[in-house]
Amino acid sequence: MSGQITLIWPIAAYFLTLIIMLTVMMVLSHVLGTKAKLPAKNIPYESGVISVNDNKTRFTSHFFLYAIFFVIFDLETIFLFAWVIAFKESGWPGFIEASIFIAILLAALIYLFRIGALSLKHRHLPVKSEQSYTTKVVRER
């Protein structure tokens, strides 16, 4: 039993430290944060667009594909970073494996470009009314 505890204590200490840090940050944010009730404080703001009463800008799901592609290719960069750290130890076999990995990534990028996944198909225009939006969606199908 004591052998299992010696294996688990670093993870338990990590989670305990994490919970303490989160609690301290939330309490400090509450104590040190401003308490002013300004009119602009409750206005929705996202991605540089201030939503005013009649501004109903809609973003299609295609817009978020860029973010997904970024995350995927960013993770691939992390794998390559691990290869760079062990470059001397891996030698030529590691170089060949990394080259194959990069070739697969390049093939995926070319495929995404060829199917049009990297081009915006719709402009993000304000929608005039809910009824005109639904008619547009029905016409596109």
Side-chain angles (χ1 to χ4, degrees):
M1 183 71 172
S2 66
Q4 290 177 346
I5 292 175
T6 58
L7 292 175
I8 294 178
W9 81 264
I11 297 172
Y14 171 76
F15 281 114
L16 185 64
T17 306
L18 180 70
I19 290 171
I20 291 171
M21 286 178 60
L22 287 173
T23 306
V24 167
M25 284 190 276
M26 289 176 66
V27 168
L28 283 175
S29 173
H30 180 71
V31 171
L32 299 176
T34 59
K35 306 286 191 273
K37 299 287 183 187
L38 300 174
K41 186 175 182 180
N42 294 325
I43 294 177
Y45 177 84
E46 184 169 341
S47 302
V49 177
I50 296 177
S51 179
V52 184
N53 295 334
D54 59 346
N55 183 12
K56 306 258 186 202
T57 304
R58 294 182 184 261
F59 293 100
T60 62
S61 61
H62 190 79
F63 175 77
F64 297 101
L65 284 176
Y66 288 110
I68 294 169
F69 293 149
F70 172 76
V71 168
I72 290 171
F73 284 103
D74 194 39
L75 287 173
E76 313 307 348
T77 306
I78 292 171
F79 289 128
L80 286 175
F81 184 72
W83 170 73
V84 168
I85 289 175
F87 180 71
K88 287 184 180 179
E89 291 83 15
S90 62
W92 281 104
F95 177 75
I96 292 170
E97 289 174 3
S99 299
I100 292 171
F101 184 71
I102 291 171
I104 291 171
L105 287 179
L106 187 61
L109 189 61
I110 291 170
Y111 173 74
L112 289 172
F113 180 74
R114 299 257 336 237
I115 66 170
L118 299 177
S119 62
L120 277 175
K121 296 176 184 169
H122 306 287
R123 297 288 176 205
H124 306 298
L125 300 174
V127 176
K128 297 201 179 4
S129 71
E130 194 65 32
Q131 198 252 343
S132 67
Y133 175 73
T134 53
T135 12
K136 180 181 176 185
V137 169
V138 170
R139 273 191 243 143
E140 288 178 354
R141 290 183 185 175

